Amino acid sequence: MSDAIEPQMREKKPRRKMGALLDPVLVNWRIERSTRDLINELAKRSRMSASEFVERMATNLELTDQGIPSWVPELDRDGELPIDTA
């Protein structure tokens, strides 16, 4: 007599709706495995795909008046003219 084998249940990953992206591109850069794992875990907790999570993270970055993230050291302002703020 053989036992019935239960099919393995795969965890359903969050996905975007088809056609949700207007101009999708495949990104190919190297990052530390631990960083990738962190992004994947944060995305999973947020019920998003990793790509959607990274996209929203970039969209919601707080930028300085120099157009860089607030946690990046300020760029050299040599050659800039001072602007009076009244």
Side-chain angles (χ1 to χ4, degrees):
M1 179 171 232
S2 63
D3 293 327
I5 300 174
E6 292 184 38
Q8 289 183 338
M9 298 296 289
R10 293 181 67 188
E11 184 177 341
K12 189 173 181 179
K13 289 186 174 184
R15 295 200 172 273
R16 295 182 202 224
K17 293 180 182 177
M18 290 291 283
L21 296 175
L22 300 177
D23 186 20
V25 295
L26 182 61
V27 178
N28 187 17
W29 53 55
R30 295 178 196 276
I31 60 173
E32 291 290 337
R33 181 179 307 273
S34 59
T35 303
R36 184 206 56 191
D37 293 345
L38 175 62
I39 295 288
N40 285 334
E41 181 60 31
L42 293 171
K44 183 178 175 182
R45 288 183 200 165
S46 303
R47 296 189 175 122
M48 293 182 212
S49 66
S51 63
E52 183 179 9
F53 183 83
V54 169
E55 191 172 88
R56 288 189 181 200
M57 188 169 57
T59 302
N60 290 291
L61 275 176
E62 182 180 331
L63 302 178
T64 67
D65 64 324
Q66 292 182 311
I68 58 175
S70 57
W71 47 266
V72 172
E74 187 174 287
L75 301 174
D76 184 16
R77 293 189 180 263
D78 209 22
E80 286 186 22
L81 296 174
I83 298 175
D84 292 333
T85 55

